[in-house]
Amino acid sequence: MLRSTPALLLLTLATVLQAQNPSRNTPPPSPVPVLASYPDTPAGKLLKEVKEHAEVVARVEHLADQIGPRLTGSEQLRRAQAWALAEMKKLGAENVHEEAYDFGLAWTRGVDSARLLTQNGLRFRVDQVAWSPATPRAIQGELLLVDARNLEELKAFQGQLKGKILLRSNPFDKRTPLPRRGGGDMASFQAEQSAMTQFLLDEGALAMLSMSGRKNGLGFTTSGPGRDPKKAALPAAFVPQEPYKMLLRQLARKEPVRLELSLGGSFSAKPVQAYNVVGEVRGTEKANEVVIIGGHLDSWDLGTGATDNATGSAVCLEVLRALQATGLKPKRTLRVILWSGEEQGLLGSRAYVEAHKAELDAIQAVLVHDMGTGMVRGFDLQARENARAFMAQAIAPVNDLGVRELPLTIMNGTDHAPFDRAGVPAFAAIQDPVDYFEGTHHSQMDFPDHLQPDQLIQGAQAMAVTAWELLNMEGRLPHGVVARPARPASEAPATTR
Ligand SMILES: [Zn+2]
């Protein structure tokens, strides 16, 4: 027929092109196991519903492509929250509401730029450290490498810092790392950082550049030393690795290197409130007992926050959708919470735990999905050996989907952590990293291009079924604060399998 001729031609052309370039258009095989059938159980119904009708990718795309980056305190995050409230209502959730907490000043990224005034005159990418002060228009200064790892080493630079733009990190540093101070607790680390910043300001340094932790030209951002504008702070930015290492080579040749730098971020005039979005499916038998699932709706602002953490937010909404579509009613109450302020130090979940101190005993468990698109392999047990039997029971229906791991690992980097520290059994999903820590996390690469739909859907299946089992099991998970060694948040696990 007529219409088939051009279609056939296109097909032939595509086949030829593919044959010429076999490495293209061949995605790596999916690690997600394919189930032959679904058991006729509530878990089986949820698995089938999510697999066949998941809307999780569409919701990530809406958050990322339509609403965009969602810095806490921004109008865009408020739009995302209004959308999430409407979605929860549409998906049959009850008691849908927002809970406010004091956030402090909002911060908006401006235009950042940098160029060399010497050598090759290159213009290169810089990304201002969020909540650091702006430069007063474009500043010019000589570059100086300050590879000081503590205040004592920094004092060696006394008298040399006035009017200088500093390179902070030195990836070519061959010295043995300093031993961890006083058990490595966060408070003493932050006190030392503040003292170093005050020293740099007193000495008249202009700004500080650090190397992006991401490779291949990727930028990076995170929060500055404090979001308190009264606290001493220097204009600061991350530079991708390639231009950063060029600057280091130029300095190593003992050439004078001069830069022009402009960082344009601005603070709001007044402190703002931030909000968590909450919705529930009321339990039929033990409505006062609660299973919380969550992800954070806020994001960084170099990309559109697709994998950090539109994915987790969309997975939680998918759990609501699957319950509505199957008509399944849990015995306990399911509470979905989409946090904010996660990226500034788990502020939303901390505020929630603080505001609901009196009700923490009623929480059966907390599950958080916040490591991008990768498939769920299990949950970190946070050194809660006494939760193992319960969690093993909860993930049993998804073992065949690859959800099997329950290590004792302590993970402190997302919103389950404030609950855990308050004695509530709270667990983060262990996910395959895919491009997360190598790419999308906090960089300008965080777009829906990097979603792996089948893995994200497996994650929604894992969260839906694990939550369902926790909602309906006979027993209750033991509470209690688990003693653990003091280590900084980013440290390796205290205990592993
Ligand atoms: Zn995150």
Side-chain angles (χ1 to χ4, degrees):
M1 286 189 285
L2 256 177
R3 284 172 60 199
S4 71
T5 316
L8 191 68
L9 250 176
L10 280 175
L11 195 70
T12 317
L13 190 62
T15 317
V16 170
L17 285 172
Q18 256 184 23
Q20 284 172 342
N21 198 346
S23 64
R24 287 180 63 180
N25 302 328
T26 41
S30 170
V32 179
V34 178
L35 300 185
S37 63
Y38 300 99
D40 187 21
T41 59
K45 289 192 175 92
L46 289 168
L47 289 176
K48 188 169 191 293
E49 175 57 37
V50 174
K51 183 69 184 172
E52 292 178 356
H53 303 113
E55 294 175 2
V56 63
V57 170
R59 287 205 172 81
V60 172
E61 288 182 355
H62 181 86
L63 278 168
D65 295 345
Q66 299 304 118
I67 296 174
R70 303 171 300 282
L71 218 51
T72 300
S74 70
E75 266 312 303
Q76 281 168 299
L77 180 58
R78 293 301 289 142
R79 277 178 59 201
Q81 287 161 338
W83 171 83
L85 289 167
E87 289 293 290
M88 283 186 177
K89 285 177 190 160
K90 199 173 85 187
L91 297 171
E94 303 152 79
N95 191 20
V96 176
H97 65 281
E98 288 183 310
E99 297 189 15
Y101 60 95
D102 292 331
F103 177 69
L105 297 185
W107 184 87
T108 309
R109 188 173 300 282
V111 176
D112 304 329
S113 69
R115 73 182 170 106
L116 265 169
L117 300 170
T118 48
Q119 286 84 13
N120 64 12
L122 187 76
R123 289 181 184 277
F124 55 90
R125 183 182 180 107
V126 278
D127 294 299
Q128 187 174 1
V129 175
W131 279 271
S132 76
T135 56
R137 298 199 188 81
I139 54 168
Q140 297 193 342
E142 194 172 319
L143 202 62
L144 179 73
L145 174 64
V146 176
D147 51 352
R149 297 166 296 175
N150 55 29
L151 187 58
E152 205 180 298
E153 290 184 4
L154 189 58
K155 283 185 175 161
F157 291 87
Q158 193 148 26
Q160 304 170 42
L161 298 164
K162 193 167 175 53
K164 299 283 169 55
I165 296 173
L166 312 179
L167 286 188
R168 167 87 198 254
S169 38
N170 182 7
F172 303 131
D173 190 349
K174 295 284 188 290
R175 296 174 294 178
T176 38
L178 293 174
R180 202 172 289 288
R181 292 158 275 80
D185 72 293
M186 216 35 151
S188 68
F189 173 76
Q190 282 168 347
E192 176 133 39
Q193 293 294 311
S194 300
M196 290 171 80
T197 304
Q198 192 58 56
F199 179 82
L200 295 174
L201 286 167
D202 292 345
E203 288 285 307
L206 295 181
M208 171 119 73
L209 301 177
S210 302
M211 191 175 77
S212 164
R214 304 285 169 267
K215 290 179 181 164
N216 299 321
L218 289 176
F220 184 78
T221 190
T222 189
S223 285
R227 292 174 307 103
D228 179 355
K230 288 187 271 287
K231 241 179 159 179
L234 210 57
F238 288 99
V239 180
Q241 296 199 359
E242 293 82 350
Y244 192 93
K245 289 178 181 170
M246 175 193 71
L247 297 173
L248 282 174
R249 288 193 299 271
Q250 289 164 342
L251 287 176
R253 289 193 286 263
K254 310 284 182 208
E255 302 164 7
V257 182
R258 283 180 62 77
L259 273 189
E260 185 176 83
L261 178 69
S262 180
L263 303 173
S266 56
F267 290 87
S268 61
K270 288 181 185 161
V272 299
Q273 295 226 290
Y275 303 84
N276 295 318
V277 175
V278 185
E280 290 181 348
V281 176
R282 295 280 291 170
T284 52
E285 289 177 23
K286 301 168 181 170
N288 292 335
E289 296 178 17
V290 181
V291 172
I292 293 175
I293 61 170
H296 64 92
L297 212 45
D298 68 301
S299 78
W300 282 114
D301 57 344
L302 302 186
T304 57
T307 68
D308 190 12
N309 182 231
T311 39
S313 304
V315 158
C316 292
L317 293 173
E318 178 66 17
V319 175
L320 284 177
R321 193 198 66 76
L323 286 177
Q324 186 189 41
T326 53
L328 288 165
K329 302 275 183 240
K331 289 181 183 166
R332 296 188 176 89
T333 294
L334 173 70
R335 185 171 299 154
V336 176
I337 310 184
L338 304 183
W339 320 101
S340 61
E342 194 273 349
E343 298 292 6
Q344 289 73 43
L346 317 182
L347 301 180
S349 46
R350 279 176 209 251
Y352 186 90
V353 167
E354 182 62 28
H356 295 268
K357 250 191 235 157
E359 306 144 45
L360 297 181
D361 277 351
I363 300 174
Q364 163 84 326
V366 178
L367 303 177
V368 169
H369 185 286
D370 181 21
M371 225 186 77
T373 192
M375 69 180 282
V376 170
R377 295 290 187 177
F379 294 88
D380 288 317
L381 284 185
Q382 304 285 126
R384 293 180 184 276
E385 181 58 44
N386 61 11
R388 183 180 299 282
F390 299 90
M391 286 301 287
Q393 185 187 336
I395 66 172
V398 278
N399 285 167
D400 290 347
L401 267 178
V403 188
R404 295 168 172 277
E405 297 179 17
L406 294 172
L408 286 170
T409 314
I410 295 168
M411 206 291 253
N412 288 326
T414 188
D415 289 307
H416 68 296
F419 290 91
D420 176 49
R421 282 180 220 127
V424 178
F427 313 106
I430 300 165
Q431 295 175 246
D432 278 6
V434 192
D435 288 328
Y436 198 61
F437 290 115
E438 291 291 313
T440 57
H441 183 243
H442 296 206
S443 84
Q444 78 272 30
M445 194 175 133
D446 196 1
F447 281 81
D449 306 54
H450 301 283
L451 296 181
Q452 297 286 337
D454 60 330
Q455 297 199 47
L456 189 55
I457 288 167
Q458 183 268 7
Q461 290 176 305
M463 288 288 283
V465 168
T466 308
W468 175 264
E469 297 300 325
L470 291 167
L471 285 160
N472 293 284
M473 67 177 49
E474 270 309 308
R476 292 211 55 199
L477 277 73
H479 281 229
V481 177
V482 178
R484 63 196 55 166
R487 278 167 186 259
S490 59
E491 272 294 300
T495 325
T496 52
R497 283 170 293 166

